Amino acid sequence: QSVLTQPPSVSGAPGQRVTISCTGSSSNIGAYYDVHWYQQLPGTAPKLLMYRNKNRPSGVPDRFSGSKSGTSASLAITGLQAEDEADYYCQSYDTSLSGVVFGGGTKLTVL
Amino acid sequence: QVQLQESGPGLVKPSETLSLTCTVSGVSITSYYWSWIWQPPGKGLEWIGYFYYSGTTNYNPSLKSRVTISVDTSKNQFSLRLSSVTAADTAIYYCARHNSYNYEGLDYWGQGTLVTVSS
């Protein structure tokens, strides 16, 4: 049972827009800690995709965007491409645990 | 270019202690927070613990009684020890760097190393 809750899977056709939600609580996202997102392609290490809620590291296409409100955050992917098929994880910090927390991960399937 | 590389035995016997090392190049480990993360086969990411070179460490409460993270600044390495392992500890283990503080994102990751617990 992950501290942050994500849908297990989402899917979309090429060119479409999908969103992945990440729900936390008052001890993490709601405590004003930022949310970060990772993309994990099959057989590879996770890669930082979005940091501090809505900032893209260099090299990440602007098709990816992030937002945060209250105790939740979202990752949106527009213009879906086959190469976006991967697992996506959200991450924040939890004051109760005094540590890093991850969502359970969302598998994105490009139809 | 920042690089992280995990190393250690790929097979550990039940009840023994798992030991892994993360070698960092391209940046000093005294400048950031660093974490260990694990991922059981087919499952999600879970944080094990982090440290700062000054001695600050914190561990996932679910593992706290069995985990120790230590650092060797002279070698620019940090290590993970997990005691009394069971099959449930079989996982890919990653080391990663926080982009400054412990609540920041993990911007550099090692490639991961699979550790299997089996007799």
Side-chain angles (χ1 to χ4, degrees), chain A residues 63-107:
Chain A
R63 302 186 294 104
F64 294 88
S65 61
S67 63
K68 173 190 161 184
S69 179
T71 58
S72 296
S74 288
L75 175 72
I77 311 171
T78 59
L80 208 55
Q81 299 181 4
E83 66 202 48
D84 299 332
E85 192 161 282
D87 294 324
Y88 293 83
Y89 295 89
C90 60
Q91 177 245 308
S92 187
Y93 186 87
D94 191 279
T95 56
S96 299
L97 301 174
S98 293
V100 174
V101 288
F102 286 98
T106 299
K107 182 175 182 60

Side-chain angles (χ1 to χ4, degrees), chain B residues 38-83:
Chain B
W38 68 348
Q39 184 172 35
K43 297 190 177 180
L45 303 170
E46 186 172 6
W47 172 71
I48 297 172
Y50 65 67
F51 83 94
Y52 188 63
Y53 82 100
S54 62
T56 299
T57 57
N58 200 31
Y59 305 125
N60 188 318
S62 67
L63 298 168
K64 193 170 186 174
S65 63
R66 299 194 292 131
V67 173
T68 303
I69 295 176
S70 59
V71 58
D72 186 339
T73 55
S74 67
K75 295 181 179 179
N76 222 36
Q77 295 177 335
F78 60 101
S79 298
L80 169 72
R81 286 173 58 87
L82 181 66
S83 63

Side-chain angles (χ1 to χ4, degrees), chain B residues 6-49:
Chain B
E6 305 90 349
S7 60
L11 181 64
V12 180
K13 290 182 168 55
S15 80
E16 295 189 343
T17 295
L18 177 160
S19 295
L20 296 174
T21 295
C22 181
T23 301
V24 179
S25 60
V27 68
S28 171
I29 63 171
T30 62
S31 302
Y32 296 85
Y33 277 80
W34 305 83
S35 273
W36 285 100
I37 297 101
W38 68 348
Q39 184 172 35
K43 297 190 177 180
L45 303 170
E46 186 172 6
W47 172 71
I48 297 172

